[in-house]
Each structure stands twice: as structure tokens, then as C-alpha cells.
Amino acid sequence: MLVSARRINTLTRTFFFLLYFHSAAHAQRRVLSFDQDWKFLKGDPAGAEQPAFSDSAWRSLDLPHDWSIEGGYARTNPTGRGGGYVEAGVGWYRKRFMLPEDDGQRRLFIEFDGIMMNSDVWINGWHLGHRPYGYSSFQYELTGHLHFGPHALNIISVRADNSIQPYSRWYTGSGIYRHTRLVKTAPVHVDHWGTFLSTPEVSAARAKWMMHVSVMNQSDANSNLIMETRIFSPAGTLLQTLSTPCSVAAGATAEVTQQGVVDHPSLWGCDKSPLYLAKITLRVGKQAIDEYNTAFGIRQIRFEAATGFWLNGENIKIKGVCLHHDGGAVGAAVPLRIWERRLELLKQAGVNAIRTAHNPPAPEFLDLCDRMGFLVMEETFDTWNARKSSAENGYNLYFSSCWEKDTRDMVLRDRNHPSIILYSVGNEIHDNLNDSSGFRKYKMQQDLIHSLDGTRGVTMALFRPALSHVYENGLADLMDVVGQNYRENELVAAHESKPARKVIGTENQHGLTAWLALRDNPFMAGQFLWTGFDYLGEADWPSLVNGQGLFDRTGTERNVGYQRQSWWSGQPMVYAMRKEQNAGEGAWVSDWTPADMDTYDDARVQVFSNCDEVELFLNDRSHGVRPRPADNASPRSWQLTFEKGTLRVVGRNNGRVVATREWKTAGPPARIELKADRDRIAADWNDICIIRATVVDANGVPCPTADDQLTFTVTGAGRLAGVDNGDLASSESFLGSKRFAWKGTCIALVRATTPGGGISIKATADKLEPATLTIAVK
């Protein structure tokens, strides 16, 4: 095999680094990022799985990577309205790597957090396997197919095929869009996803934990070993050490169970979310042969038919949103900071729960929910056997052959997350649920999950149950918790007809009726709004984005977001809107800059607030105080004569000002303002800085109708990773340097490329004063 001198030098440096690392920690498990230095081609060349195949002309890149977001949009693209009108097809990835000689005594595995979709993987020409479902995480063993030593190359090849369309009712992305890892273990080791830690008894005084560990022996000899577990507090203090002898026959797997007690535990919850650590070490004599860490939270959950959801003995409402897996401009390959920022904004709006619609998320997303205190309903599939419109070639083609493995892999991967409180096995399933086949399909999935994780319930998002008759035929009574999409009155009636039913809204609209159904019925455990953020796809041309989010895809909160905040948040807030046109015509907008000020004189204003009283001022003149409405939920209204100037809203509790906000009339656009979500970022793929550009007048007042095209330039220790705005119909490239302002604003995403130094971001536009911003790199 011919390899360039530069490639050989890079591989040799990698080889000696790995050799040093292994000599320093010979016995320990090694988990190495496998994201760097891949080759990629969008196409389907014959023989690309063979080691001798030449990929010298292919593009070099790092993972995660979504090639769909890089292409253009066309109404004729086969992904259609569901997939966001992007291109479909086949993509290939190849990576060269070398391994130290002593790795020949180890077991080696490759882990993929997700490949979209119909993936095939080869190592040195050997086919490892095929996985249709793009949302499943999986592992292949490489042992027996590898070459070792400083001059021996290994080549892993991956083919991802999403050419069979239409596949999905929302944007999926394409390629190896999640992280990859190379794992090296001793022949005797903790199995993949081999721990299950639960907290069956929890109180403020003490908590009991129990852990089941699968230990695999892939050697030719029986093994007698000790499993040592150390429990560390959230602050890193060693709390407890347990040692348990274990015998594992050659070629077998043994389960080891340990349990212990934590006194005065720090309980995991929505307000505080401390995480403990179980550090497992397998020892033969005094030698450590494997180490495996499992983070966990100490918490107690339960659903009650009469009172809904309980967390650590507190009866709380699940105030959730549904989220699809794309991150806007970055497509499906989403840096963790994008999710972190989105969850920060949702928490400010009063949201405490996420439904992963309609698939397992990336594992780091659940880590983030653990750390930030979000409750999660994790979902498996959007379809069973029956197909859906705009996704006729979706998971329905694979359900019969793949449901068991995909469900098993999700539960085994995720059952240690304290954030997960409920599993859902389907969304608006179109299979016949009024016959024995429908009962069987639901029951087999629920039974499998119960066998893998008996600590959480199972539901599904029912679709028009009055037509499927699931409330009369008994299927709903098989469910641990009855979930229904929309039609809240039907779910209320279903509980009232059988008060033993535990119920939850699995998908709900933003309006007042949906909120009152949750607020005013103690038995309603919660609801999940459709949606938290706008998402790519499920839109009719020329729109490319579904715009039902509390937030648009750039993080701008919509009116419905502030409405929910007034109902869900415990923080005092006020938010004003006016009718866009004169005398109450048009849509509600949140500005004080009418398009035609000569004809706009009759202003109708509404305010969302959770304060006892709200007072409205125009140019410092009061237009009256409004108390809480009778239903404690409706907006408060004013009618006044428009004047240029400042509209100010003041909220008071017990006569004290607790919230205030103002809107000013904008003049002509004059300049650009830049604001970063943080002033310092890390040189890490998962970190990104979100720069918001706003077009303002000479006094710094935002211009809500500005639509100037902005150009972003990045210099220094970073690069531009994407641009975006909130326009549902924009077909501009996310990967260019230009973006039109939408309602006066757009964003740029900036990534650090080298540690240390600074990154300078400049935004320019014709006839506007430019702006420059500098952020530091850690």
C-alpha cells in the first residue's frame, strides 16, 4: 500500500503516543476519541471497503459530520417536505490508524454513537455489520482483524446510505453525524454498557443504591477476580469502597451485584442536579485489569393515578417540550454547546422536561440533561410497520427485523441516566391498535424494556384514540402511563372514566386550553409542547423549517415562549406585544416600530405576565394598572393612541416592582451590533460561540424590519462554523459567510481552532456601520 510521507509521519507520531500511553497504564481500559483524520466522499465508488482502494482524492475532515447540511435545497429533492428538501444519496468514510504491538493482547472495539443511515462498516476489508436505524448507538469488535506495529496500517471503512426516500417526516442529516471511539480492554472486562445502577430507596436521611455489573471473559481460561467499587460524592470525596469476588468462566459473562448506602444524600432534581460516581475496578490479585466509571443521580420517581408525577417526595408538574435532533445551521452534527444554550433558554422559560422526539438522542445530550436537571421521556420510534405520509420508506421498512436490537441498545445505553423518567415506544403509531397484532406489538416492546430496566414506566404517544378505540379495547390499560398527543379533553375523560389510569400529555399545543388541562387537573402528570425549538424539515415549499417552537432555531424566543414563561416560570416576568396593523389588525409583534407610522394610531397591546399587577407606560405616562385576570392565565390588554417613543411595562408583587421591560421606536438602520453568548471558548469540537448580530439605529434601538445582508469575517484562533436567521423559508447556505437579517437579526457560529489567543469577528453590510467583537480562547 502506498501512503504519503506526510501521512506516514502523522501515523508514526500517533503510534508512539499510543505506545507511551499503554506503557504508562498497561492494564487499564483505554477509550480514545476516533473522530479525527477521516477521509470522505459523497458518492458510491465500487470497492471502497477494500484496504487497497485509493482515497487520496477524497476530502479530509473530522467527525462528527453531516453532509446533508452542506448541500443545496430543491423542491425536487427526494427527501421532500419531511426531510427538508435536501439531497439524498450515499457517503463513504475511511480512516487509517496504527496500533502498538502490545494491543495484540487486548480486545479492541469501535463505537459509533450514530450513523445516518443504513450503515455498513468494514475493518481491513472485513465486514463488521449493517445497521439501518440512524439513531442507534452500537459497537463492533475489531479483534482478530487488525495489524500491529509501527509499520502496519489498519483501514476502517464506513458506507452510509440514505438514498431510499422519503425516509423521515423531519430532517435526519447524513453520515457519521455523532462521535466515535476506539476502546481497548483486557480480555476480561466490564461488558459494553455493562452496568445498571439504581436507587431503590431514597430519603433525605439515607439512600440505598444497587448495581448490577456484567463482566465478560474473552480469554481461554477461567478467571477469578475481585470487583472493587468506589463511590464518590458530587464533590469528589470517596464515600464507600466495596469488594466482591467473582468467577467468570472462559468465554462466558457473569453478573455481579453490589449494594450500599449513602447517608444524607444530595438528591438529584430539577433545581439541583448533583451526580455521584461509581468507579469500578476489576483486579486479579493486586493487578488492575479493567476500570469502568458510571455516573448516577440519587433520586426517587413515581407516577400516581390521582396526583400525577412525584420526584423525591414532591408532587410536581412535568412542563416539557419536544425536541428534534438537529441544531439549525449545524444540521445533525450538533456541538454540545448548541444544546447547552438551548436548554439554558428553555429553563429560563420554565421548562423542566424534554421528549426526545421521536428517537434516541446523542448520549452526550442525556449527560447534559443529567447535569442541568431536565426530566426526559426517551422515545424509540416514529413508526412500527404502518407507514406515514412524507416518510413512506421510513423505519416501517425495518421495524420487524430491527425493533428488538434498537430498543435493547437504547435502554442498555441510557438506563443509568437520572434524567430519564419514562420510555415511549412510539409516536402516533398508525398500526391497527384495535386487534391482537397491535396489542402484541405494544406488549413485546414494553416487556423487553421492563426486562432491561424495571425502574421506569413505559408509554406511547397515542394518536386519535377515539378512532383506534384504545380506551375501550384495553390497550391503554396495558400502559404503565397513558400518553396521548393533543386533544387534552379526551385524555381527561379517559382518566375520569377509569381513575386508576396514570396519564400524561405526550404532545401538546401552546394555547391556553392545553395549559388549563394540565394546571387544573391534579391527575395530569405533565405535557410536552410541540415544540421547544424550530426544526429543519416537515414544512411545505418554499419553507424549509417547521416554525412551531417556543424559540426559533437561532434562539430568539417567540410570543408563545413568553406566554408559557408567564405560566411556567417562577421568576417574575412581563412581555408586551402589539397588533402589527392599525386598530387590532394583523399579527401580534413585540416592538414599538409600526411599518407605517402615519396611519398607525390605534394601538392594541397585550402583556404576558405572572405578576400580581401590571402597569403600562407610554413616554412615562401611565395607561393604567391591570390585576391578575380571573383565570390567572390570560394576557392583560390595553388600547391606546400610538406615539413614537418608549413603551414600558412594569410588574409588581405585593406593591413592589419585580419586573420591567421596555420597547422603543426605531429610526432608520445605521449600524450593526454584535453580542456573544460568552467571552471565552475552548478549542474543542463540542464548544462553539454564538454571535448575534442586530441591526440598530443611530441610538442603538433594534430595527425590527431590517433585512440587510450581513457578511461575517473571522480572523485569529478560530473560524466561522455557520450562519443562520429565523426565516422559515430562507434557502441561503448555512456554511457561507453571508446571511440576510430576519426581523433585524441573524447569528454567526464561531469555533476555536487552536488553544490560546483570541478570535476576532467582524460583521459588515452596505450602508451600515460595521461591528467587531473579540472573544478569547481558553
Side-chain angles (χ1 to χ4, degrees), residues 140-394:
Y140 292 127
E141 183 162 9
L142 308 178
T143 311
H145 310 293
L146 295 167
H147 311 303
F148 304 95
H151 305 292
L153 287 179
N154 296 279
I155 298 181
I156 191 161
S157 306
V158 179
R159 181 180 186 269
D161 180 2
N162 76 342
S163 59
I164 303 174
Q165 296 289 340
Y167 173 76
S168 175
R169 297 188 303 114
W170 61 91
Y171 176 90
T172 63
S174 301
I176 310 178
Y177 71 106
R178 292 179 180 169
H179 291 290
T180 60
R181 289 169 298 280
L182 182 68
V183 179
K184 308 178 182 186
T185 73
V188 181
H189 56 270
V190 177
D191 199 2
H192 187 223
W193 302 325
T195 63
F196 179 31
L197 199 155
S198 61
T199 53
E201 299 176 15
V202 176
S203 70
R206 67 193 299 270
K208 178 182 176 180
W209 60 268
M210 178 176 291
M211 182 167 63
H212 304 282
V213 181
S214 294
V215 180
M216 175 177 284
N217 183 355
Q218 292 185 284
S219 74
D220 295 328
N222 297 339
S223 180
N224 296 311
L225 52 88
I226 298 293
M227 189 180 88
E228 177 189 271
T229 298
R230 290 172 290 163
I231 302 296
F232 291 88
S233 74
T237 303
L238 178 62
L239 300 178
Q240 188 176 14
T241 301
L242 291 85
S243 295
T244 303
C246 173
S247 297
V248 192
T253 300
E255 183 173 284
V256 183
T257 300
Q258 291 181 329
Q259 58 186 5
V261 170
V262 174
D263 291 323
H264 307 292
S266 298
L267 300 186
W268 185 94
C270 297
D271 297 327
K272 296 181 180 179
S273 46
L275 294 173
Y276 289 76
L277 179 67
K279 184 180 283 289
I280 301 163
T281 303
L282 302 183
R283 300 184 187 276
V284 175
K286 294 183 178 180
Q287 182 184 7
I289 61 171
D290 193 25
E291 193 170 89
Y292 194 99
N293 296 337
T294 299
F296 67 101
I298 297 177
R299 57 101 173 104
Q300 184 182 64
I301 60 169
R302 73 179 193 273
F303 287 84
E304 296 286 350
T307 54
F309 179 70
W310 293 76
L311 175 63
N312 299 328
E314 181 183 359
N315 189 201
I316 68 172
K317 292 291 190 182
I318 297 171
K319 301 172 181 176
V321 297
C322 304
L323 289 179
H324 275 312
H325 77 299
D326 79 79
V330 297
V334 187
L336 194 59
R337 174 56 191 166
I338 296 289
W339 285 127
E340 182 180 50
R341 182 57 182 154
R342 290 186 168 193
L343 294 183
E344 288 170 352
L345 293 171
L346 289 170
K347 181 152 280 197
Q348 291 172 16
V351 174
N352 65 11
I354 305 296
R355 175 194 182 199
T356 66
H358 306 289
N359 47 262
E364 65 268 21
F365 177 83
L366 295 174
D367 292 337
L368 194 61
C369 291
D370 290 345
R371 295 197 299 271
M372 296 182 69
F374 279 88
L375 310 171
V376 174
M377 182 175 79
E378 187 173 27
E379 199 153 53
T380 52
F381 314 121
D382 189 46
T383 57
W384 295 351
N385 293 120
R387 68 182 191 174
K388 289 183 177 179
S389 177
S390 300
E392 288 82 358
N393 295 310

Side-chain angles (χ1 to χ4, degrees), residues 99-170:
L99 298 166
E101 291 281 3
D102 64 352
D103 274 353
Q105 307 302 312
R106 303 174 188 279
R107 311 300 294 198
L108 279 84
F109 306 85
I110 181 75
E111 293 181 352
F112 294 95
D113 287 341
I115 304 175
M116 189 63 68
M117 54 175 277
N118 280 315
S119 67
D120 288 275
V121 181
W122 293 263
I123 180 65
N124 295 326
W126 179 267
H127 187 242
L128 295 171
H130 174 76
R131 293 298 292 259
Y133 197 35
Y135 298 107
S136 283
S137 298
F138 54 91
Q139 179 195 77
Y140 292 127
E141 183 162 9
L142 308 178
T143 311
H145 310 293
L146 295 167
H147 311 303
F148 304 95
H151 305 292
L153 287 179
N154 296 279
I155 298 181
I156 191 161
S157 306
V158 179
R159 181 180 186 269
D161 180 2
N162 76 342
S163 59
I164 303 174
Q165 296 289 340
Y167 173 76
S168 175
R169 297 188 303 114
W170 61 91

Side-chain angles (χ1 to χ4, degrees), residues 86-99:
V86 297
E87 298 173 355
V90 176
W92 276 87
Y93 298 82
R94 286 165 56 94
K95 178 180 172 71
R96 292 173 171 81
F97 62 103
M98 293 193 295
L99 298 166

